[in-house]
Amino acid sequence: MNKKKTTVEVKRECGAKNSASPENPEQVIEMIALNSAVNKIKHKILVLSGKGGVGKSTVAANMAVALSLKGKKVGLMDIDVHGPSIPKLLGLEGRPIRQTPDGLQPIVYNDNLKVISIGFMLKNEKDAVIWRAPLKHSLIKQFLTDMEWGELDYLIVDCPPGTGDEPLSIIQLLGSVDGGVIVTTPQDVSLTDVRKSITFCHQVNIPVLGLIENMSGFICPNCGERHDIFKSGGGERLASEMRVAFLGRIPLEPRLVASGDDGKPYLEFSKDSPTAMAFNLVLEPIIALAKDKKEG
Ligand code: ADP
């Protein structure tokens, strides 16, 4: 059985100092800034996946847009340092980050949704980013403390695939997280990696809000028949085996690819499609977080 890591072990692994006991005035100031930033966020959600290409960023982007369209104040933070795709998915590529007297301004998607990603800082999208853990940690800290987010109902964090330094850093910096949403595809090779993501959440003591099976079945637009290209139901079986909630299935939808390529989030531009309905179902527990606290 896996031994649970202590908070200190988690902090040591992600290259951070123990923020509970600052050693000098500079650290005290940093800690106050961090606490003040974190206290302005009501709900913190990590979107995780065992491996890349399963639709994690697509889910994170659409989740953020859907919540913002419901009137929630949302921050979307892309901490995938090596493959930031949120700027493209939201049609925000090339937008400059502005410095104002109040701080650095995240990129505005709409009145309710602000976005930050290392992608906004790279001059060229092909620029390679070779960073060690402590540097990634300080970038993520800056994303929290130097950005002027304002009060947020939700912070959605799009993590890189796997269980590396970035999710450890954000968990340590946020202190407490409402939970992780894990995205997978139905086939076995992907599900093996998902077990690791669930175990990771258990080890760092964050609740698993649930598992989403993405690219689950293709409904032929011509004959209406369903084809399970990557099998089906694997995510649900795994969720039940590992005793985590199954949030639902999102079908393989060619228009989702086009919407990502065009930077027009699917849930904003194809609101009434069956895929959008499937998407909205998987978002219900996230929206319920606010209702549970009588905010929504
Ligand atoms: P990840 O963040 O897991 O690497 P992305 O969100 O970048 O994955 O998605 C990878 C590719 O798969 C993108 O081209 C995206 O448009 C596409 N995609 C995601 N979900 C679906 C879906 N349900 N149907 C069809 N294509 C999808």
Side-chain angles (χ1 to χ4, degrees), residues 15-27:
K17 292 198 173 140
N18 186 349
S19 56
S21 55
E23 286 156 17
N24 58 46
E26 206 177 296
Q27 283 184 354

Side-chain angles (χ1 to χ4, degrees), residues 96-159:
I97 292 173
R98 285 184 310 113
Q99 170 83 60
T100 69
D102 295 331
L104 290 168
Q105 298 298 316
I107 304 300
V108 172
Y109 176 80
N110 64 25
D111 284 351
N112 291 334
L113 175 56
K114 295 177 184 173
V115 184
I116 192 65
S117 162
I118 179 104
F120 295 124
M121 296 164 180
L122 302 176
K123 286 200 184 73
N124 184 323
E125 70 176 66
K126 294 186 190 82
D127 284 353
V129 180
I130 305 167
W131 284 0
R132 290 189 179 278
L135 254 182
K136 289 183 198 166
H137 184 82
S138 66
L139 176 80
I140 295 170
K141 185 159 35 162
Q142 281 186 318
F143 277 0
L144 273 173
T145 55
D146 296 3
M147 293 283 155
E148 182 51 32
W149 292 100
E151 301 278 336
L152 292 180
D153 294 312
Y154 289 93
L155 178 72
I156 311 285
V157 183
D158 182 22
C159 296

Side-chain angles (χ1 to χ4, degrees), residues 49 51-59 80 85 89 158-159 161 183 214-216 250-261 275 279:
S49 67
K51 62 183 200 120
V54 297
K56 170 186 51 60
S57 298
T58 303
V59 167
D80 191 343
S85 45
L89 290 174
D158 182 22
C159 296
V183 182
N214 189 27
M215 307 191 194
S216 178
I250 299 168
L252 244 189
E253 161 68 271
R255 283 179 300 167
L256 253 170
V257 182
S259 74
D261 288 350
T275 302
F279 233 122

Side-chain angles (χ1 to χ4, degrees), residues 1 35 41 83 107 137 169 182 186 188 197 199 255 260 264 270 274 287-288:
M1 217 175 86
N35 286 342
I41 310 167
I107 304 300
H137 184 82
S169 281
I182 300 173
D188 290 338
S197 299
T199 308
R255 283 179 300 167
K264 294 184 171 171
S270 305
I287 293 159

Side-chain angles (χ1 to χ4, degrees), residues 33-275:
L34 181 61
N35 286 342
S36 142
V38 169
N39 287 339
K40 288 187 193 152
I41 310 167
K42 283 187 188 143
H43 301 290
K44 302 146 198 151
I45 291 161
L46 307 190
V47 184
L48 304 157
S49 67
K51 62 183 200 120
V54 297
K56 170 186 51 60
S57 298
T58 303
V59 167
N62 279 283
M63 182 187 284
V65 169
L67 290 167
S68 76
L69 295 175
K70 289 180 192 299
K72 303 292 178 194
K73 294 284 179 200
V74 185
L76 175 58
M77 189 188 286
D78 175 8
I79 60 168
D80 191 343
V81 171
H82 300 285
S85 45
I86 291 292
K88 180 165 182 62
L89 290 174
L90 295 183
L92 299 173
E93 281 175 302
R95 295 282 181 92
I97 292 173
R98 285 184 310 113
Q99 170 83 60
T100 69
D102 295 331
L104 290 168
Q105 298 298 316
I107 304 300
V108 172
Y109 176 80
N110 64 25
D111 284 351
N112 291 334
L113 175 56
K114 295 177 184 173
V115 184
I116 192 65
S117 162
I118 179 104
F120 295 124
M121 296 164 180
L122 302 176
K123 286 200 184 73
N124 184 323
E125 70 176 66
K126 294 186 190 82
D127 284 353
V129 180
I130 305 167
W131 284 0
R132 290 189 179 278
L135 254 182
K136 289 183 198 166
H137 184 82
S138 66
L139 176 80
I140 295 170
K141 185 159 35 162
Q142 281 186 318
F143 277 0
L144 273 173
T145 55
D146 296 3
M147 293 283 155
E148 182 51 32
W149 292 100
E151 301 278 336
L152 292 180
D153 294 312
Y154 289 93
L155 178 72
I156 311 285
V157 183
D158 182 22
C159 296
T163 54
D165 302 313
E166 296 89 336
L168 282 171
S169 281
I170 191 76
I171 291 165
Q172 187 240 325
L173 291 163
L174 290 173
S176 74
V177 173
D178 289 73
V181 171
I182 300 173
V183 182
T184 184
T185 50
Q187 67 269 44
D188 290 338
V189 59
S190 175
L191 294 172
T192 311
D193 293 308
V194 166
R195 282 174 217 273
K196 292 185 197 155
S197 299
I198 296 174
T199 308
F200 169 80
C201 289
H202 293 333
Q203 284 180 330
V204 294
N205 287 322
I206 70 164
V208 177
L209 291 175
L211 193 63
I212 296 176
E213 188 175 288
N214 189 27
M215 307 191 194
S216 178
F218 171 70
I219 317 281
C220 173
N222 298 325
C223 65
E225 206 173 307
R226 181 190 168 99
H227 303 279
D228 286 325
I229 294 170
F230 296 139
K231 301 190 193 168
S232 179
E236 189 164 13
R237 276 194 299 278
L238 179 70
S240 116
E241 183 195 314
M242 296 205 64
R243 296 170 194 274
V244 298
F246 181 66
L247 299 180
R249 299 188 172 90
I250 299 168
L252 244 189
E253 161 68 271
R255 283 179 300 167
L256 253 170
V257 182
S259 74
D261 288 350
D262 297 346
K264 294 184 171 171
Y266 188 84
L267 286 192
E268 180 157 4
F269 292 90
S270 305
K271 277 190 192 122
D272 300 320
S273 65
T275 302

